[in-house]
């Protein structure tokens, strides 16, 4: 789907049918900049499945660098072809919907495939994420030696898992703001705060288990504590910046 959208946009540009004339900069988009950047960096979720099958970790740093270089290339190609191919006022938040128009692509199968692509991905991911969240709720409120009543186990926990996303889906169609807010708050904790604390605590635990003189040959180039502090400061700055911009925008100051 990514490659198909990039190729279709490049074909339109090469034919002289491009409508986009992006400005050099647009300050009004800064409000969602950090949130969207955090959200887009959720590709880090694929790192465990990428690293686990590697038996020899000697070149793991180079492989991760190559992986993120490819991700950056795809994001860049997709973004730049989009802003030059479509006008800003016609560019939809759900980018795949731009290709459902018969003027963009005449093949009906491709139009339906790209239009339904978000449905395919969400349909496969949402049940897995919902089950995981439901089990986390059960673990969070678990009582030692106790069991949940049938109503709580089969109705309450699934309800508090499914009702919030369904309500959000019915209440808003502004994907840009939704992605910005989700990335700025939930994504901020997932990407910056939790990994920083995990890295700090795991290093302390490693020293206790193996001793302070043990040398890890797979040490990160960012192994200094300064980088953990930097990540925490950066995450807090993103949180404050996005919150301030949302408040100021709503207050129209």
């Amino acid at each position: 789907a990514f490659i198909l959208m990039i190729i279709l946009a490049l074909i339109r540009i090469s034919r002289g049918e491009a409508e986009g004339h992006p400005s050099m900069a647009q300050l009004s988009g800064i409000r969602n900049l950090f949130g969207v950047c955090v959200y887009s960096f959720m590709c880090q979720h694929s790192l465990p499945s990428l690293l686990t099958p590697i038996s020899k970790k000697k070149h793991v740093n180079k492989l991760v660098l190559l992986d993120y270089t490819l991700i950056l290339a795809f994001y860049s190609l997709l973004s730049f072809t989009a802003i030059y191919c479509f006008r800003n006022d016609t560019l939809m938040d759900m980018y795949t919907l731009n290709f459902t128009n018969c003027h963009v692509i005449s093949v009906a199968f491709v139009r339906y495939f790209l239009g339904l692509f978000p449905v395919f991905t969400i349909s496969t991911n949402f049940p897995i994420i919902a089950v995981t969240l439901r089990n986390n709720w059960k673990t969070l409120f678990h009582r030692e030696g106790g069991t949940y009543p049938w109503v709580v186990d089969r109705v309450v926990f699934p309800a508090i898992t499914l009702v919030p996303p369904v309500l959000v889906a019915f209440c808003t169609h502004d994907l840009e703001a939704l992605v910005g807010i989700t990335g700025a708050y939930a994504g901020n904790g997932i990407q910056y705060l939790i990994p920083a604390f995990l890295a700090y605590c795991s290093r302390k635990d490693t020293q206790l288990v193996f001793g302070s003189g043990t040398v890890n040959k797979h040490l990160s180039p960012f192994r200094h504590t300064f980088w953990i502090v930097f990540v925490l400061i950066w995450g807090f700055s993103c949180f404050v910046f996005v919150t301030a911009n949302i408040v100021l925008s709503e207050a129209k100051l």
Side-chain angles (χ1 to χ4, degrees), residues 58-67:
K58 182 179 180 180
H59 302 291
V60 70
N61 288 338
K62 295 179 181 178
L63 290 173
V64 172
L65 177 61
L66 175 62
D67 177 54

Side-chain angles (χ1 to χ4, degrees), residues 138-148:
K138 290 182 178 181
T139 304
L140 182 64
F141 295 103
H142 180 69
R143 295 172 297 174
E144 193 66 31
T147 57
Y148 297 110

Side-chain angles (χ1 to χ4, degrees), residues 98-212:
N98 290 277
F99 297 93
T100 58
N101 194 325
C102 59
H103 296 293
V104 179
I105 176 67
S106 58
V107 182
F109 173 77
V110 176
R111 294 203 307 271
Y112 283 111
F113 171 74
L114 292 177
L116 293 173
F117 178 71
V119 179
F120 299 149
T121 56
I122 294 174
S123 299
T124 54
N125 293 333
F126 183 77
I128 299 173
I129 297 173
V131 170
T132 303
L133 180 58
R134 183 201 62 183
N135 294 337
N136 289 340
W137 283 120
K138 290 182 178 181
T139 304
L140 182 64
F141 295 103
H142 180 69
R143 295 172 297 174
E144 193 66 31
T147 57
Y148 297 110
W150 184 88
V151 175
V152 175
D153 186 60
R154 299 294 182 178
V155 178
V156 175
F157 285 122
I160 61 177
T161 301
L162 297 175
V163 169
V166 172
L167 289 178
V168 171
F170 275 104
C171 292
T172 181
H173 296 283
D174 191 351
L175 291 179
E176 182 180 359
L178 183 62
V179 168
I181 294 173
T182 305
Y185 297 108
N188 199 4
I190 295 172
Q191 177 180 325
Y192 294 133
L193 304 182
I194 295 177
F197 285 115
L198 282 175
Y200 178 79
C201 295
S202 63
R203 291 173 185 177
K204 292 294 183 183
D205 187 64
T206 302
Q207 290 180 359
L208 292 175
V209 174
F210 298 102
S212 58

